Amino acid sequence: MIIKIVLVCLVIYMIANLFLAMRVMMKDDPDGEPMSKYIGRRVLTSVIIVTLILIALATGLISPNPAPY
């Protein structure tokens, strides 16, 4: 159950970084924070999410849906 909570929190963090990048893009301030900072965080978070899912599947913490027959 804790792995699912962690994954949901990471997805929320990824979406928040997406909106922060959008805010920087809309502001268009050359002296402000670079948009690549937030996009990089989003990509790193995606890699962490995929890695956690694969580890959780391999260890049996979560189980995939059965194949429909």
Side-chain angles (χ1 to χ4, degrees), residues 6-30:
V6 169
L7 288 173
V8 168
C9 290
L10 284 171
V11 168
I12 290 170
Y13 179 73
M14 185 175 65
I15 292 171
N17 276 311
L18 178 66
F19 281 106
L20 288 171
M22 183 184 69
R23 187 181 58 144
V24 169
M25 182 179 65
M26 298 300 283
K27 194 184 300 183
D28 196 29
D29 183 18

Side-chain angles (χ1 to χ4, degrees), residues 4 11 54 63:
K4 293 178 184 178
V11 168
L54 291 175
S63 60

Side-chain angles (χ1 to χ4, degrees), residues 1-59:
M1 182 66 181
I2 190 79
I3 191 76
K4 293 178 184 178
I5 294 170
V6 169
L7 288 173
V8 168
C9 290
L10 284 171
V11 168
I12 290 170
Y13 179 73
M14 185 175 65
I15 292 171
N17 276 311
L18 178 66
F19 281 106
L20 288 171
M22 183 184 69
R23 187 181 58 144
V24 169
M25 182 179 65
M26 298 300 283
K27 194 184 300 183
D28 196 29
D29 183 18
D31 297 330
E33 298 262 346
M35 185 173 57
S36 61
K37 172 183 172 182
Y38 299 110
I39 298 299
R41 285 183 186 172
R42 187 169 167 251
V43 170
L44 180 65
T45 306
S46 298
V47 169
I48 291 171
I49 289 171
V50 169
T51 305
L52 280 177
I53 289 173
L54 291 175
I55 291 171
L57 283 171
T59 59

